[in-house]
Amino acid sequence: MTSKPAVDDGLRARKRAATQAGLEQAALALALEHGYENVTVDMICDAGMVSQRTFFNYFGTKEGAFLGTPPPMPADAELARFVQGAGADVLGDLVGLITAALVDQEPDPGILRSRRMLIERTPELLGRENTRITELEESLTLLVLERFHAQGRSEESTPGLEDEARMAVTLAGSVMRFSMQKWFTGGFTGSPGELLRHSIALMRRIAAAENPAPEGARVRP
Amino acid sequence: MTSKPAVDDGLRARKRAATQAGLEQAALALALEHGYENVTVDMICDAGMVSQRTFFNYFGTKEGAFLGTPPPMPADAELARFVQGAGADVLGDLVGLITAALVDQEPDPGILRSRRMLIERTPELLGRENTRITELEESLTLLVLERFHAQGRSEESTPGLEDEARMAVTLAGSVMRFSMQKWFTGGFTGSPGELLRHSIALMRRIAAAENPAPEGARVRP
DNA sequence: CATCCTGCGTGCAGCTACTGTAATTTTATT
DNA sequence: AATAAAATTACAGTAGCTGCACGCAGGATG
């Protein structure tokens, strides 16, 4: 990921990372025990042994400590691979891209899971999470458009190309949300890969459905 | 509350409604001019000529004044109609249901539009909105399940029935989001009904795509 | 080793969103 | 007109969050 293989960390950086990790962990633990609303920033600071001011230097916001580092944007190499991807399965590739970013972003799956739990049961955090995702989708739409261009499709030749890209991203997002939900409510026994494929298949089946629109009047009474 | 069931709108109720509408309007106007973050509750109170405490009696939260009355849940009659709907087009019917609720909920389309504009450009509000929608989707999923049952399908005969319902709701939500976005960025010239049908068709096309999954390894590198 | 200096943590003062409480005013009822 | 009920208000207090200025330790330079 970085230019140098490893050692670039000084004592400073290491301490910093430790403090941040400590705060995040404390925040999660406290929230899972007392509920997000009942946890004050001061509590987290006590547990992490820093001043309140320092806390805000790290996260800027209370929520920040619970949500972890901002948005998982894939590495450039993978992005290029996606754009060049000749495969016709945009949806599958998109889902793969997002998943990859998610995985190599958080080393500890335990943290990831409990964070997910907390977010799931806390509307306020869920809102923030959605916001982040929305912002991410913005960039992904541009990516898909690039891919389309790489495949020789242009706005001129295909009028609704941008819509198509946006819809693809939207659907990929739906698959991710659906899978997450199923995964963290424990309704699935199997590998994440399986789950994702299962979700995509299900989506295709539902979307295909029967009659596209019986008379059209149904849509807007 | 009172012993009499009849004419519940006296002077009281009318004043109340006026105050609330005034506050909402003031909030929207102020935010569109100065940006959401730069509008304080006190400003809104000044414009609406009430105390800060009263403001919070009405909305409970600053965001409330900008988002309007909570979630548009359809009337019982329409719900029943949806459940009994023999039509196979679950998606279309769902979209129709949501749309109907949206329309007869806010009489003034001008308010609705500017509110939409504001939400669109304000991450914080967008997050809240998404949260509300998510909560709504919860109930809709149950509805779809009822409909399935009315069609004689049970969890026993069809293992993934609940998943199917959830996915249908998720997809309907995607269609709504997509349409909203297109509608309020002005990228569409035509009736809302047309737009919705167009969106559904597009979704079906993208979802269908080509190969479901070349090898599966793509999904989780 | 001495020196600078830069990044980081801290206290403090202050703003804004929000809540509880009790008093005051306004509307409804008899 | 008297009284009950409800709405609105002022006031005080809590929690999230920010700008500012100071001090200290890590790291670079000579």
Side-chain angles (χ1 to χ4, degrees), chain A residues 25-157:
Chain A
Q25 234 169 302
L28 273 184
L30 284 170
L32 283 177
E33 185 179 352
H34 305 114
Y36 174 77
E37 310 225 320
N38 302 319
V39 176
T40 73
V41 173
D42 282 331
M43 287 189 206
I44 307 175
C45 294
D46 286 351
M49 294 190 299
V50 295
S51 76
Q52 198 198 53
R53 198 62 189 80
T54 298
F55 175 93
F56 284 108
N57 283 340
Y58 272 96
F59 300 106
T61 167
K62 176 185 174 185
E63 288 160 345
F66 300 90
L67 294 179
T69 58
M73 193 59 186
D76 287 358
E78 301 204 58
L79 295 186
R81 194 141 49 84
F82 172 81
V83 171
Q84 298 304 327
D89 187 21
V90 195
L91 243 48
D93 289 358
L94 259 180
V95 170
L97 194 64
I98 301 174
T99 307
L102 270 181
V103 181
D104 64 29
Q105 132 103 7
E106 176 66 69
D108 186 344
I111 295 279
L112 201 150
R113 197 185 179 91
S114 45
R115 173 175 297 153
R116 209 67 222 170
M117 269 184 181
L118 180 64
I119 291 180
E120 202 70 39
R121 76 177 59 158
T122 312
E124 189 169 350
L125 292 179
L126 211 160
R128 273 288 164 202
E129 183 74 351
N130 278 339
T131 300
R132 282 184 174 184
I133 291 178
T134 300
E135 283 163 7
L136 179 69
E137 286 182 350
E138 219 41 50
S139 2
L140 285 182
T141 302
L142 294 178
L143 253 197
V144 174
L145 264 179
E146 272 188 58
R147 174 174 163 135
F148 284 167
H149 291 158
Q151 292 175 346
R153 310 177 64 187
S154 72
E155 269 89 357
E156 279 71 30
S157 67

Side-chain angles (χ1 to χ4, degrees), chain B residues 12 50-51 53-54 57-58:
Chain B
R12 208 119 138 179
V50 294
S51 74
R53 198 61 186 79
T54 299
N57 283 340
Y58 272 93

